[in-house]
Amino acid sequence: MADRNRIVTPSTDPDRFTREEKAAFNANQCCWDIGDSHWGQRDTMCHKPSKRGAPFGYCADHERALLESHWPDGSPRR
């Protein structure tokens, strides 16, 4: 069984990040999809500062949202 508590990053799981998400991660910005796009906008990421050690490089608010129903590796809690 995989370690559900592992922290996912572009280095550990490159296939789980788009080019834009990786760029946000590398810039220490949250890449959570806020789903609020506007005309001409390429991405809809949060871009708040990442919380140190958060899965996927999320900010504290989006890390909390993820962990409500998912493990740190992104798999659902059942």
Side-chain angles (χ1 to χ4, degrees):
M1 175 178 248
D3 179 9
R4 295 182 288 188
N5 287 310
R6 70 187 177 80
I7 304 302
V8 176
T9 69
S11 297
T12 63
D13 296 82
D15 59 323
R16 295 184 71 180
F17 289 80
T18 65
R19 185 178 357 200
E20 291 84 7
E21 289 168 339
K22 183 180 183 309
F25 182 95
N26 290 341
N28 295 313
Q29 297 175 347
C30 179
C31 64
W32 181 278
D33 182 356
I34 57 174
D36 186 22
S37 62
H38 303 281
W39 181 260
Q41 188 175 6
R42 287 189 60 211
D43 61 50
T44 57
M45 290 183 271
C46 169
H47 290 292
K48 288 182 183 175
S50 296
K51 177 183 171 193
R52 185 178 181 103
F56 300 94
Y58 291 154
C59 66
D61 291 337
H62 289 127
E63 178 193 39
R64 196 169 22 261
L66 170 76
L67 297 178
E68 286 177 5
S69 58
H70 292 79
W71 294 100
D73 74 349
S75 60
R77 294 180 187 260
R78 295 181 200 207

